[in-house]
């Protein structure tokens, strides 16, 4: 369920996992407004990552919220918020809150990234509101002090022989490190409390209701918000979806199948270039060669020239997973496979060596934010939202079965995570039901390796008549703005008129070459 940005030095990714049934409990009623509503003083935004662009119209501020909503007069934290105002006032429909997923991706710059992909009818109607969720980025950032700050380092691939012993030791060590360095406070950085923060943001904006567009993990955050505050959620767009009944230990259950369905899209690109890449002339040949390469790197990791990195099987798989999230990355992915194969067999060319260095170059740090912030908050959310099993033998059994069923993911999705050794959550998962207004548009790709088709369907079942479902015959993690007029028109019509499709739609008109890219 990771669906947004996982970093192996520089690769983007997405994931999550659940154990407790989200339908099994309801969060306690917690007041989010006080007699004095919060307010936002707008001004300059925090310094961006070096070299990153930013929409000059963007302004930022903070909202003060309780660390623990059960103790509203206790310790407080700051949540950073941004705004890109509507281009006209006469047609304004309200505020559209945006979340890019992750879990634990920062969102202050999301309005400026999303705006170029939207038509004027939407930009005239909404103030675009971004925010760094609690604990993330500039919103009281948290840190476990992890030695490996990358999110990729948390993904538990078994050893070459299938053993999970090292994964168990690593998971326990990570949980202990977070308990020591981040402390008890980290338990309050949950999705439910982030949703309560969203309602504080709504109040600070002076809005009776707020619309929302969430991607990946952000779809779960959106369903939690509308479950806690059904009368305050206006129009909800959920894209690349999490099944709320699987949060979090079972959110990975469909990853192996999803990878088997998405991988051929890249394998076809490689097969078409067999004469120059040498990776195989058919999808089956490319797949067999990829699996053999991953196994070789599991057993004989290869140092990457002019870097401190060693290419391993897990790193190969993680970069593959990350680049499969976007069709425009497939040409780079197949070149990466060629370079990895050359590194493994000692025939690496200078050009392929440069490609590897680019793929594994570390991204510049975000000023004022700990290096392990996303990894820390990924753990806080996926481990703190719902209880996980601590049965190590059961993890070993399930990993072995998953490894045999889905070779491309090598048993990782079923393996033990740090969440097995995490403190008990502070509350039960929020119940997501089909009770409430019909105000939600679900967008889901058929071949999404991060949030699989089955999970989008699961969300549709959970929401029932509250939501309309729009599927797309497309691969990758994002649905809107990826070349389907059918998807885009349904989305824009909903945001500008409030009209949802009366029946399910399955869009087959996807042409990735026509997709608008942010910034263009």
């Amino acid at each position: 369920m990771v669906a947004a940005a996982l970093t192996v030095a520089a690769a983007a990714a997405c994931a999550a996992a659940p154990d407790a049934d989200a339908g099994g409990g309801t969060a306690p009623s917690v007041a989010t407004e006080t007699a004095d509503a919060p307010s936002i003083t707008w001004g300059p935004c925090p310094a961006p990552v070096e070299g990153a662009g930013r929409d000059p119209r963007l302004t930022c501020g903070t909202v003060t919220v309780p660390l623990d909503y059960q103790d509203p007069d206790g310790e407080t934290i700051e949540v950073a918020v941004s705004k890109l105002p509507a281009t006209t006032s006469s047609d304004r429909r309200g505020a559209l809150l945006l979340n890019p997923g992750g879990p634990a991706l920062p969102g202050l710059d999301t309005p400026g990234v999303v705006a170029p992909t939207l038509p004027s009818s939407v930009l005239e109607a909404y103030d675009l509101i971004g925010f760094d969720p609690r604990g993330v980025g500039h919103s009281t950032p948290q840190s476990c002090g992890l030695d490996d700050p990358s999110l990729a380092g948390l993904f538990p691939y078994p050893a070459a022989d299938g053993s999970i012993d090292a994964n168990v030791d690593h998971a326990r060590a990570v949980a202990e490190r977070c308990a020591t360095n981040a402390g008890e406070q980290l338990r309050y950085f949950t999705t439910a409390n982030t949703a309560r923060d969203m309602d504080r943001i709504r109040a600070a904006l002076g809005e009776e209701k707020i619309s929302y567009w969430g991607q990946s993990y952000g779809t779960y955050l959106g369903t939690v918000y509308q479950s806690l505050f059904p009368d305050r959620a206006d129009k909800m767009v959920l894209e690349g979806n999490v099944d709320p009944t699987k949060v979090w230990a079972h959110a990975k259950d469909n990853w192996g199948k999803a990878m088997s369905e998405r991988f051929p899209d890249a394998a076809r690109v490689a097969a078409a270039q067999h004469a120059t890449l040498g990776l195989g002339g058919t999808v089956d040949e490319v797949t067999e060669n990829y699996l053999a390469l991953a196994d070789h790197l599991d057993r004989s990791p290869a140092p990457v020239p002019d870097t401190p990195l060693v290419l391993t099987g897990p790193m190969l798989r993680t970069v593959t997973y990350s680049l499969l999230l976007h069709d425009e990355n497939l040409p780079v992915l197949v070149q990466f496979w060629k370079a990895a194969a050359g590194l493994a067999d000692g025939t690496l060319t200078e050009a392929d060596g440069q490609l590897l260095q680019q793929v594994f170059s570390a991204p510049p740090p975000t000023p004022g934010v700990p290096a392990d912030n996303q990894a820390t908050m990924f753990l806080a959310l996926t481990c703190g939202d719902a209880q996980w099993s601590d049965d190590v033998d059961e993890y070993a059994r399930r990993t072995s079965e998953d490894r045999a069923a889905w070779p491309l993911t090598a048993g990782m999705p079923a393996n033990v995570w740090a969440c097995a050794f995490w403190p008990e959550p502070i509350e039960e998962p929020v119940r997501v039901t089909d009770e409430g207004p019909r105000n939600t548009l679900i967008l889901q790709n058929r071949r999404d390796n991060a949030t699989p088709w089955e999970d989008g369907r699961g969300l549709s079942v959970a929401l029932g008549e509250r939501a309309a479902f729009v599927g797309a015959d497309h691969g990758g993690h994002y649905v809107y703005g990826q070349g389907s007029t059918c998807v885009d028109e349904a989305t824009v019509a909903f945001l500008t008129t409030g009209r949802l499709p009366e029946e399910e739609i399955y869009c087959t008109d996807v042409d990735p070459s026509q997709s608008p890219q942010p910034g263009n």
Side-chain angles (χ1 to χ4, degrees):
M1 146 238 112
V2 183
L6 185 170
T7 335
V8 182
C14 135
D19 198 355
D21 184 350
T26 301
S29 176
V30 181
T32 63
E33 293 191 71
T34 60
D36 297 320
S39 61
I40 303 176
T41 300
W42 299 105
C45 295
V49 173
E50 182 180 354
R54 171 173 286 162
D55 192 305
R57 298 170 295 167
L58 201 68
T59 58
C60 292
T62 60
V63 176
T64 301
V65 302
L67 172 67
D68 176 9
Y69 278 90
Q70 296 286 356
D71 183 17
D73 296 323
E75 183 178 351
T76 61
I77 59 175
E78 299 295 315
V79 173
V81 184
S82 63
K83 180 173 72 171
L84 195 66
T87 55
T88 66
S89 57
S90 59
D91 296 323
R92 186 179 183 277
R93 298 183 64 93
L96 179 61
L97 192 66
L98 306 168
N99 180 272
L105 281 178
L108 283 186
D109 281 301
T110 301
V113 172
V114 169
T117 73
L118 297 173
S120 59
S121 59
V122 176
L123 298 175
E124 292 169 357
Y126 293 95
D127 295 332
L128 301 184
I129 306 298
F131 71 110
D132 285 352
R134 63 164 50 203
V136 175
H138 297 284
S139 293
T140 317
Q142 300 298 294
S143 171
C144 288
L146 300 175
D147 293 332
D148 179 359
S150 71
L151 184 56
L154 302 177
F155 281 46
Y157 284 95
D161 63 359
S163 168
I164 71 166
D165 292 346
N167 303 123
V168 173
D169 292 341
H170 179 68
R172 183 178 285 110
V174 167
E176 291 175 351
R177 177 70 70 92
C178 287
T180 299
N181 292 341
E184 178 74 10
Q185 175 173 285
L186 194 61
R187 298 179 66 202
Y188 297 95
F189 289 81
T190 64
T191 298
N193 278 340
T194 302
R196 294 173 182 123
D197 296 343
M198 286 168 54
D199 204 56
R200 289 293 182 107
I201 293 172
R202 176 201 58 77
L205 293 170
E207 303 284 349
E208 292 186 7
K209 293 186 175 184
I210 194 166
S211 294
Y212 177 83
W213 190 330
Q215 298 173 317
S216 189
Y217 160 80
T219 65
Y220 179 60
L221 176 60
T223 59
V224 169
Y225 179 78
Q226 68 176 5
S227 297
L228 291 174
F229 307 102
D231 296 332
R232 299 173 189 170
D234 194 3
K235 290 171 284 296
M236 310 285 289
V237 178
L238 306 178
E239 176 182 13
N241 298 277
V242 173
D243 184 339
T245 69
K246 295 183 175 182
V247 173
W248 283 122
H250 292 290
K252 310 170 276 70
D253 287 356
N254 291 319
W255 275 10
K257 181 176 183 292
M259 179 63 82
S260 75
E261 294 171 343
R262 172 58 168 160
F263 189 89
D265 291 342
R268 277 187 284 273
V269 175
Q273 302 176 56
H274 178 52
T276 55
L277 298 179
L279 297 173
T282 67
V283 168
D284 287 345
E285 288 178 357
V286 172
T287 304
E288 290 173 5
N289 289 334
Y290 173 85
L291 290 172
L293 175 61
D295 181 70
H296 176 83
L297 291 170
D298 280 339
R299 301 174 190 282
S300 301
V304 180
D306 301 318
T307 79
L309 294 171
V310 176
L311 180 58
T312 63
M315 291 176 71
L316 174 77
R317 297 182 185 97
T318 302
V319 173
T320 297
Y321 169 88
S322 302
L323 295 180
L324 283 172
L325 295 176
H326 305 278
D327 274 354
E328 61 266 28
N329 290 338
L330 298 187
V332 176
L333 174 57
V334 300
Q335 290 291 335
F336 168 72
W337 288 345
K338 175 180 179 290
L343 180 67
D345 66 15
T347 62
L348 184 71
T349 67
E350 181 177 353
D352 286 343
Q354 293 174 352
L355 174 65
L356 290 178
Q357 291 178 33
Q358 292 172 3
V359 168
F360 292 111
S361 60
T366 301
V369 178
D372 70 336
N373 178 236
Q374 189 190 0
T376 294
M377 284 305 303
F378 176 91
L379 290 167
L381 294 165
T382 57
C383 302
D385 281 351
Q387 187 73 49
W388 288 56
S389 168
D390 61 358
D391 187 340
V392 171
D393 291 338
E394 178 67 8
Y395 283 113
R397 182 189 66 78
R398 293 185 61 226
T399 299
S400 178
E401 293 174 352
D402 197 71
R403 184 178 175 87
W406 309 110
L408 286 167
T409 49
M412 178 276 291
N415 204 348
V416 63
W417 297 57
C419 303
F421 308 104
W422 210 257
E424 183 179 353
I426 59 172
E427 60 182 295
E428 291 292 314
V430 173
R431 183 185 295 275
V432 175
T433 74
D434 59 0
E435 298 178 2
R438 178 173 165 80
N439 64 351
T440 303
L441 181 67
I442 297 173
L443 306 178
Q444 181 66 48
N445 278 335
R446 183 62 187 85
R447 300 183 309 283
D448 182 342
N449 58 298
T451 50
W453 174 262
E454 289 81 0
D455 292 0
R457 298 300 301 172
L459 174 60
S460 180
V461 170
L463 293 180
E465 293 300 318
R466 297 176 62 186
F469 185 90
V470 176
D473 184 15
H474 190 232
H477 193 38
Y478 300 101
V479 190
Y480 174 82
Q482 300 302 306
S484 170
T485 301
C486 167
V487 167
D488 295 354
E489 287 184 347
T491 305
V492 172
F494 174 53
L495 287 173
T496 55
T497 70
R499 292 195 304 269
L500 285 169
E502 293 297 325
E503 298 179 349
E504 290 188 2
I505 297 174
Y506 189 67
C507 299
T508 59
D509 65 339
V510 178
D511 180 1
S513 68
Q514 300 303 312
S515 61
Q517 297 302 314
N520 293 340

